[in-house]
Amino acid sequence: MTDAVTQCYHDKVTLRLVQFSVIWAILAMAAGVYLSAELVWPTIDFGQFWLSFGRLRPLHTNGIVFGFGVSALMATAFYSVQRTSHVPLFAPKLAWFSCYAWQLIVLLGGLSLLAGWNSAKEYAELEWPFDIAITIVWVCFAIVFFGTIATRKIKPIYISNWFYGALIIVIAMLHIVNNLAIPVSFTKSYSLYAGAQDAVVQWWYGHNAVGFLLTGGFLGMIYYFLPKHAERPIWSYRLSVVAFWAFVYTYIWAGPHHLHYNSIPEWVQSLGMAMSVILLAPSWATMVNGIMTVSSAWEKLRTDPALKFIVLSLAFYGLATFEGPMMSIRAVNVVSHFTDWTIGHVHSGALGWNAMVTYGTFYFMIPRLVDRELYSVRLANIHFWLALAGTMLYIMSMWAAGVSQGLLWLSVDQIGELSFDFKDIMASMTPYYLLRLVAGLIFLAGTILMAYNLFMTVKGREPARVVPPAVDPAYGVGA
Amino acid sequence: MNGLSLHRKIEENTGLLIFGILIVSAIGGLVQLLPVLTQESLETATSNTRPYSAAELTGRDIYIREGCSVCHSQQVRPLIAELERYGPYSRAGEFVYDRPFLWGSKRTGPDLHRLGGKYSDEWHRIHLLDPRAVVAESIMPAYPWLDRRSASDTGNITAKFTALRTLGHPYTDEDIAGAEAALEGLTEMDALIAYLQVLGTGFSEEAEQEAGAAP
């Protein structure tokens, strides 16, 4: 017989991860806002190397993906895997280690990027010592997660855990293969791959870091928290099975659409494009499954800000997963590639989808963790509108900027001479960059409101003790 | 046994689920990466492409350190407007000594692949110290520290050459022995400019025709 203490869910580590996640969100978004201001007023780096655009920008992206994103994914994975397995975390000490070691990597990694230790591979900028540390912590995360599933008391492995599982496995594979390099010193290494080959490997990684971390992982969030919150079972179990495997199979092929018209074999580009277009199907299947799940609970949207965030995030997920395949078509990509349209697309995913679903999840999870009502529903509602307004303004300003850049760059007159000078096109971007700065500020303000709201909710409380409920014999392991 | 009852086996077995995800997700990567990683033409240098000198390699590492590739691509696409604006489109064989590749994904500033030889060293020096002194509309940051730092302090050039030779870059023993001396007296600014001036000079139609390769 195990005693009641070990039977209790380990929620303190979840709460701590949420706290870190919110802190990284604010810091990394603030860095983003500053970067957008630098594009309007280029001298505000004051000649300081650590404020220089080229160094601060990787800090922004890594802070969001690995600080905010991964901390939120670890938190929600730990929370939901216990509740869907009806057992406490496997190896809770290892879970705590993963939590703090990860934060240390984000902190020191961020500083190393400002110091200029940069491997120059997008979303994999951290140098080799960090790559090794990430691998170790990731394995610990995997042991805790799969260990909990392996010791579960309920026979089926719930859908959300498939997605978190795919996140852990595929990211490990991508991370290791893409970062293979020969170290020269503690701060510098040379990639095992060169030139065109390196490009194909990098975008196999880069696109699927988006695919399995920012999409797969967050779909895990959706599959647990949306049905839980709507108090409805997932609309179609069959659809989620098909969508899951189609997603895992198809996503990995799509990377080469980042290299259209670049110096890589054309068949790779075409294959990447075709598979990117096909990817629309599993993406929308999941979106439809989610929307249909809430379809009989719309009235909850009136009163519940957390559910509003989650449902809106699904809408942006649908938008971004339509826009992505469209941009992967060569004839569209010829305009969008290298422009701010790409930046807009990334943010319709990162703000509209990833941040919104995370916010909704936090508003749902935190009051339950500490067993107390959300401090202010009103503030959460204000946050919702700030987040929506910020995201829309961001995307639209970048659409306008990106499409005009793309078309103006390509524009030639009747005798084949360029119609516009590059620097004139660049100078015409200032109004859009200003709008984007405002958008970023609005979104950041909302995030700070949430931080305050959650802080006041948790203030002075410890996570409540939750004991796994009895398992329905029909689903039990011994059944 | 229908599909769903088959799936039941997977979703009730942790090991099978892990194995299934690994196999299914690996297929696409294998099909795309293996042929590309073994394609010889992608590893064959164009006739004017040679390994970077000590100064150029150091300059390239500074380019990486400062995150230049965040705003500048190095990839001229085979499109009329790009040929007009930048020059001949980029060939895979020009990048065989690029670890990592620096093609970039964003042009906040212009593409730099055909930059070499377009401006004087002095223009680059002024531009890097105060971009708006030469391009009024520029939103590029200034890099005042490059002029104050010695190129020898950017990293151990001998170790770099040795590591790259391990990876197959044809550096001779003399190259490696003389690498440190080649950086003596140079600032980081000098090294970066040396790199910018060699960018895109690895391809010319004449050289390819002489070598008998199809342009």
Side-chain angles (χ1 to χ4, degrees), chain A residues 443-466:
Chain A
F443 199 88
L444 175 62
T447 306
I448 293 171
L449 268 190
M450 177 188 74
Y452 172 74
N453 204 350
L454 295 181
F455 175 78
M456 294 305 285
T457 309
V458 174
K459 201 179 160 191
R461 304 278 285 215
E462 289 275 306
R465 284 172 43 86
V466 183

Side-chain angles (χ1 to χ4, degrees), chain A residues 138 166-180 193 204-205 208 212 248 252, chain B residues 21-30:
Chain A
W138 205 254
L167 155 80
I168 292 170
I169 294 164
V170 181
I171 290 294
M173 171 174 84
L174 298 166
H175 172 76
I176 291 170
V177 173
N178 185 45
N179 283 302
L180 290 176
Y193 321 100
W204 168 77
Y205 164 88
N208 293 296
F212 286 85
V248 173
I252 213 88
Chain B
I21 291 171
L22 198 59
I23 297 297
V24 171
S25 67
I27 297 170
L30 289 173

